[in-house]
Amino acid sequence: LFRSSKLRWVHTWAAGPDAALYPEMMASPVVLTSSVGNGAIPLAEHSILLMSMLNRDAPRWFRAQAEHRWDRFTHGELNGLTLGIFGLGNSGADLAIKAQAFHMRVLGMRRHADRPVQGVDQLYRPDQLHQFLAECDFVVVTAPATAETRGIFDTAAFRAMKPSAYWICISRGGIANDEALLRALRERWIAGAGLDAQGQEPLPPDSPFWTLDNVIITPHNGATTAATAQRGVEYFIENLGRFVRGEPLVNVVDKTAGY
């Protein structure tokens, strides 16, 4: 790729630039931009979907429907529950606003906890992770996979959560230690999980996550909408115009930070 001495800019259609951060790109002066933010809206919607399905035990209805059984039971509601958003980028910020519409209390964790975020009732710093987790009925991970976040949800983190709480990941796999997550689900340290992002993708057919009755799995599909693709095109067109005019580009990736 970098045999061309005139190459100055590369754009990745993905919101997460992970695949583009190979050694040659990291070592080069080429500017890398991404489509970050293009899937924020559907990912926030997908988070609400998974929270509602887990909270109401929707798989129980699906099983009853498949068996032609009329199965009525008392289930939960999101109203009044506490949502913790781990990572307050585009999708996390949009989720906070949507969760407020469901009358939820919203907590957020970000590196810069001194900057208020619309829809977030209280912000926590990374060094307050366990305190943050102990408050939540739902923990939704919207953060990128970086050196700082990989494996941060370990045994101690899942132990810090309420036994009645749910863990949802819509951004990137690997932020949870899979062995710790599997044990937390099997031994009911937490109530369940909604997994759109997996540590290994595609999730292998023999993965034990498939068979757990307290897990809902979607195949990294939360942002697969026509509007997501269109927003990605619009970001590229905006940057193409800026590049031609010699103006600063938007969505420039910090190669060191990884996003």
Side-chain angles (χ1 to χ4, degrees):
L1 175 62
F2 297 107
R3 291 176 183 174
S4 172
S5 60
K6 295 183 179 180
L7 185 64
R8 294 163 52 196
W9 166 45
V10 170
H11 180 81
T12 173
W13 294 108
D18 315 48
L21 293 174
Y22 43 86
E24 293 85 356
M25 174 63 78
M26 294 291 290
S28 81
V30 172
V31 175
L32 176 65
T33 59
S34 75
S35 296
V36 64
N38 65 335
I41 292 170
L43 284 175
E45 292 178 0
H46 201 69
S47 300
I48 295 291
L49 170 70
L50 290 172
M51 285 195 293
S52 296
M53 290 177 70
L54 289 164
N55 184 245
R56 292 175 180 248
D57 195 5
R60 178 170 169 175
W61 281 319
F62 300 152
R63 290 191 295 271
Q65 181 175 348
E67 297 168 5
H68 301 187
R69 285 188 296 104
W70 190 257
D71 184 17
R72 299 182 75 247
F73 57 93
T74 300
H75 53 72
E77 57 185 47
L78 298 181
N79 179 69
L81 298 183
T82 298
L83 163 63
I85 305 174
F86 182 83
L88 284 167
N90 294 287
S91 55
D94 193 57
L95 174 58
I97 296 169
K98 286 179 166 64
Q100 289 285 358
F102 283 82
H103 312 292
M104 300 184 78
R105 175 179 175 235
V106 180
L107 311 179
M109 171 160 286
R110 66 184 306 184
R111 286 190 300 171
H112 305 292
D114 56 334
R115 301 176 188 172
V117 177
Q118 183 182 0
V120 177
D121 297 303
Q122 186 174 347
L123 284 168
Y124 290 79
R125 302 183 309 272
D127 63 351
Q128 297 174 302
L129 176 62
H130 291 182
Q131 179 184 345
F132 163 78
L133 295 175
E135 292 288 322
C136 301
D137 297 301
F138 293 92
V139 175
V140 177
V141 177
T142 66
T146 67
E148 295 176 344
T149 62
R150 285 189 185 91
I152 194 170
F153 282 88
D154 55 11
T155 297
F158 287 117
R159 285 289 197 187
M161 292 175 63
K162 299 177 183 178
S164 58
Y166 296 93
W167 191 82
I168 294 171
C169 186
I170 61 163
S171 55
R172 288 289 181 272
I175 293 176
N177 176 290
D178 278 353
E179 289 303 316
L181 175 58
L182 187 62
R183 187 179 175 195
L185 292 165
R186 280 175 166 167
E187 299 183 14
R188 306 286 172 162
W189 304 350
I190 60 176
L195 307 177
D196 190 51
Q198 322 290 335
Q200 182 180 354
E201 296 183 357
L203 191 65
D206 61 352
S207 169
F209 286 108
W210 289 114
T211 59
L212 296 178
D213 63 3
N214 56 347
V215 173
I216 296 174
I217 293 171
T218 53
H220 212 141
N221 208 194
T224 312
T225 70
T228 292
Q230 179 59 36
R231 282 186 290 266
V233 171
E234 290 168 0
Y235 292 159
F236 172 73
I237 292 173
E238 169 69 17
N239 264 343
L240 183 60
R242 287 171 173 263
F243 183 81
V244 170
R245 295 188 297 270
E247 298 173 357
L249 303 182
V250 297
N251 284 1
V252 175
V253 175
D254 181 335
K255 297 178 187 178
T256 303
Y259 59 92

